[in-house]
Amino acid sequence: MVSRFVPGSCARTQLHTEIELSLSCRNLPKMDILSMSDPMCVTYTRPFGKDKWIEYHRTECVSNCHDPDFTSKIVMPYRFEEQQLLRFDVYDVDDGSSNLDNQDFIGTASCTLGQVVASGKVKLALTDRGNTDHGQRGFLLINAEQVSNERNDLLTFKFSGHNLDKKDWFGLSDPFLEIYKATESGDYILVHKTEAKKWTLNPKWAEFKLTVHSLCNGDDDRDLKVQCYDWNWSGNHSFIGEFHTNLRTLKLNRGPQNCYKLINSRRQAEKGSLKESGFITLDYFRLEPIYTFLDYIKGGTKLNCSIAIDFTASNGDPSDPVSLHYTAGVRQNCYEQAILEVVSIIQDYDSDKAFPVLGFGARLPPNGSVSHEFFVNMSPSNPYCYGVSGVLEAYRTSLRQIQLYGPTNFAPVIRHVTQFAQTYQDGSRYFILLILTDGVITDMNETTNAIVAASTLPLSIVIVGVGDADFSAMEQLDADKVALCSQQGVKAARDIVQFVPFNKFIACGSPHTARKLLAKEVLAEIPTQLVGFMKSNNIPPNPPCSEQIVLPPDPDRLNL
């Protein structure tokens, strides 16, 4: 959609195209004494307004290979009006650690995304970090293709082989398949490699999944080349044969149309025979639609956001200028800044922009009883605050009525929202709990138990850390690397927590850039978590509603 033209202004929406980059390397040097290298490529970008490289993508590691074709693709937005800088570092992987310092650096290459898009494919010499030794460290090949806007369905395949050629002198073959798609430039790009089946001429490969985009970019008639090899430890795999097909044929599923002769033209030329080198059959095929965050919103799923504010004494006395809750100054305090910025982001995703705002860790009027679950506007019959201004007003008013106390317990407000999420498990509503806190938590075990219990429900929790406290406990709750586990030994069904350190973004320079970075971080996991809940419960989106729905921005496409 083209935005309205206003002379003398700046368009609010940047148009961009999704681009898929396929990476290969050629003539890599040998880094290991007793075997060939095990290469991996790491891609970095340098976002607009930043002066440092940010890791964007890592390929898989290809064992014993100096000419790897990586199956892992890079999908990124291409914005023609920006110079999008890219850097590619190639490593020889020596151990299973994710720490790149533990791997052998092979070489690096840099370019812009525009250069790749303009030519369709580029060949870059790998150099050392001093930008010397051109070509002595091998080459990086990059192929670019625009991603189709067609629906990206998920495909499941299962293949088997029959009567394959024997390639080993003292045993049977160890066959595996490589699947390539044709590109607009006439090249073939590797999209999947199966496992090798040991000592058999009649292999049955494990089931695997690919998206329509990765297999053929939405084109049912695009040529697919399937090659069969006998695996060798040295990395010099023996070619058995190949065949060609396309998605339209594969969709016909099992049958004679998906039983293919393996042809080895070199073998046929040497032996003067037209005999095939075996057969490959499609044993199983399934197509499943992949639904997106906005598919559910268009289908009427309502998003309901609740806000919880930390009123514990660890924030400091509100009358003290160093307090995170100090309100007598000219400038907004840290909580006011966080409410203004974060709620401004999250309100686009709330169906009615009416927020129940909870407080915890305070003593309440009239008798000073401690509460870890109270409504900030002091109105249990109507706890809603409308928009950012309503939330700010209720927050400021409450500070004059309560006493900051403690301890810092998250579990009560989590269980409060969990009660509502339990009522709506049919996909009609999804809940977001936004917790603003200074990071000092005293009920870690109870909070962990509450999150694990909520992990099966339509709920996401965004924890925004305010101030400069130690947020290591929040990182633990985020559970991006290690799944949360309750005291009873129950693992979380899915990751539902996202932790965001607010000060990191406020201190990053330009307010405009800071807001965009903050928005992307706050919303980073909500779409995936919502879709994950729906998928785990086999809930498809409803057809688009006939009533007009104002769609929020797609978090997956927020441009920085």
Side-chain angles (χ1 to χ4, degrees):
M1 185 178 75
V2 178
S3 60
R4 186 168 61 93
F5 172 69
V6 180
S9 70
C10 175
R12 299 180 67 182
T13 301
Q14 292 181 327
L15 300 179
H16 70 260
T17 301
E18 294 288 325
I19 298 295
E20 178 186 85
L21 300 181
S22 300
L23 306 180
S24 301
C25 291
R26 296 293 180 263
N27 303 325
L28 295 180
K30 184 176 180 179
M31 306 295 289
D32 299 328
I33 298 176
L34 300 178
S35 65
M36 292 196 289
S37 298
D38 306 318
M40 172 186 72
C41 186
V42 183
T43 302
Y44 297 85
T45 63
R46 197 158 73 185
F48 178 76
K50 284 187 168 288
D51 58 358
K52 64 178 181 178
W53 292 100
I54 305 296
E55 182 177 327
Y56 191 86
H57 178 271
R58 292 190 187 192
T59 67
E60 76 281 10
C61 170
V62 180
S63 299
N64 290 330
C65 187
H66 291 165
D67 300 302
D69 296 313
F70 299 106
T71 60
S72 180
K73 310 302 181 188
I74 306 167
V75 177
M76 61 194 324
Y78 167 58
R79 296 183 284 274
F80 73 92
E81 74 279 9
E82 290 184 20
Q83 185 183 50
Q84 296 173 267
L85 300 175
L86 302 175
R87 192 185 87 209
F88 304 90
D89 289 355
V90 180
Y91 291 87
D92 170 32
V93 177
D94 286 331
D95 61 30
S97 169
S98 61
N99 187 349
L100 295 176
D101 292 335
N102 294 344
Q103 321 306 337
D104 290 332
F105 174 75
I106 296 178
T108 186
S110 300
C111 65
T112 67
L113 183 57
Q115 288 173 315
V116 184
V117 171
S119 59
K121 57 181 179 179
V122 297
K123 181 179 181 180
L124 304 173
L126 293 170
T127 70
D128 62 15
R129 291 194 169 100
N131 201 31
T132 60
D133 299 330
H134 290 270
Q136 297 180 23
R137 294 171 179 260
F139 297 89
L140 176 70
L141 283 63
I142 311 171
N143 193 296
E145 194 167 49
Q146 182 175 336
V147 175
S148 167
N149 289 324
E150 298 297 322
R151 177 174 290 282
N152 191 22
D153 295 325
L154 183 66
L155 308 170
T156 303
F157 301 93
K158 193 171 185 180
F159 286 97
S160 62
H162 309 275
N163 301 320
L164 303 184
D165 282 352
K166 179 181 175 182
K167 308 298 288 188
D168 297 332
W169 286 101
F170 301 105
L172 302 177
S173 295
D174 304 320
F176 66 92
L177 298 179
E178 291 186 342
I179 301 175
Y180 296 81
K181 68 178 176 183
T183 66
E184 296 174 357
S185 63
D187 299 320
Y188 282 91
I189 298 297
L190 180 66
V191 296
H192 183 74
K193 181 188 295 185
T194 70
E195 78 283 10
K197 288 296 184 181
K198 299 294 185 178
W199 290 71
T200 179
L201 301 181
N202 298 285
K204 293 184 180 294
W205 289 286
E207 181 180 289
F208 63 92
K209 299 178 185 292
L210 293 171
T211 64
V212 170
H213 283 172
S214 63
L215 180 68
C216 62
N217 204 18
D219 180 2
D220 282 12
D221 298 309
R222 179 173 297 212
D223 186 43
L224 304 173
K225 180 173 67 175
V226 183
Q227 295 186 326
C228 185
Y229 288 88
D230 170 35
W231 180 87
N232 293 311
W233 180 87
S234 66
N236 294 317
H237 309 305
S238 302
F239 181 65
I240 297 177
E242 68 180 22
F243 67 89
H244 291 256
T245 186
N246 56 44
L247 180 56
R248 190 176 301 281
T249 302
L250 293 170
K251 283 181 176 179
L252 298 176
N253 218 314
R254 294 182 60 181
Q257 66 280 351
N258 277 311
C259 180
Y260 301 94
K261 293 181 180 180
L262 279 177
I263 303 300
N264 186 333
S265 56
R266 179 181 300 178
R267 173 180 177 273
Q268 290 182 345
E270 291 174 351
K271 297 190 175 184
S273 169
L274 296 179
K275 186 177 184 302
E276 67 279 346
S277 297
F279 298 87
I280 301 294
T281 61
L282 176 65
D283 296 331
Y284 180 78
F285 175 87
R286 184 173 72 249
L287 185 150
E288 305 170 81
I290 295 179
Y291 299 116
T292 68
F293 171 73
L294 290 185
D295 287 333
Y296 287 97
I297 302 303
K298 291 176 183 176
T301 296
K302 305 292 185 183
L303 299 179
N304 296 101
C305 179
S306 299
I307 300 168
I309 301 175
D310 183 342
F311 287 107
T312 57
S314 58
N315 287 280
D317 189 333
S319 62
D320 187 337
V322 301
S323 170
L324 297 176
H325 283 303
Y326 182 66
T327 58
V330 177
R331 299 181 60 184
Q332 293 176 324
N333 67 34
C334 292
Y335 276 88
E336 288 174 318
Q337 292 179 56
I339 290 171
L340 178 62
E341 299 295 349
V342 179
V343 178
S344 294
I345 295 164
I346 212 78
Q347 73 175 358
D348 283 339
Y349 298 85
D350 188 274
S351 301
D352 54 13
K353 297 176 177 49
F355 303 105
V357 182
L358 299 164
F360 58 91
R363 298 178 67 183
L364 306 183
N367 55 10
S369 59
V370 178
S371 176
H372 300 292
E373 181 190 347
F374 64 93
F375 292 112
V376 171
N377 68 356
M378 303 300 174
S379 178
S381 61
N382 184 20
Y384 298 99
C385 302
Y386 293 90
V388 179
S389 60
V391 176
L392 281 171
E393 181 181 357
Y395 162 73
R396 291 164 180 159
T397 301
S398 68
L399 280 174
R400 297 192 292 268
Q401 300 175 340
I402 64 172
Q403 180 185 23
L404 272 58
Y405 201 67
T408 308
N409 295 340
F410 283 8
V413 294
I414 293 174
R415 292 194 178 108
H416 176 95
V417 179
T418 297
Q419 293 175 357
F420 295 95
Q422 286 174 332
T423 307
Y424 296 94
Q425 299 190 51
D426 58 354
S428 61
R429 292 180 182 270
Y430 192 86
F431 295 83
I432 301 169
L433 172 59
L434 176 65
I435 300 177
L436 305 177
T437 180
D438 72 342
V440 180
I441 182 171
T442 53
D443 68 337
M444 189 66 179
N445 289 335
E446 283 299 306
T447 294
T448 300
N449 293 341
I451 292 172
V452 170
S455 64
T456 60
L457 301 175
L459 172 64
S460 290
I461 301 171
V462 180
I463 302 175
V464 177
V466 178
D468 298 312
D470 178 6
F471 289 117
S472 55
M474 304 301 106
E475 299 281 4
Q476 182 180 339
L477 294 176
D478 198 329
D480 281 339
K481 297 179 181 178
V482 180
L484 274 185
C485 189
S486 70
Q487 288 178 292
Q488 294 74 35
V490 179
K491 283 189 176 182
R494 59 193 181 93
D495 176 18
I496 64 171
V497 178
Q498 169 75 348
F499 169 67
V500 181
F502 181 72
N503 277 12
K504 182 179 85 172
F505 298 96
I506 294 304
C508 74
S510 161
H512 178 70
T513 302
R515 288 189 185 98
K516 282 199 167 188
L517 290 169
L518 177 64
K520 195 169 185 70
E521 189 80 4
V522 167
L523 301 170
E525 297 182 10
I526 290 175
T528 303
Q529 291 170 359
L530 182 150
V531 173
F533 168 80
M534 300 296 187
K535 185 175 182 180
S536 64
N537 289 275
N538 297 315
I539 302 173
N542 293 321
C545 296
S546 55
E547 62 183 86
Q548 185 175 4
I549 296 178
V550 179
L551 292 177
D554 186 344
D556 292 333
R557 296 177 180 270
L558 284 175
N559 299 330
L560 298 184

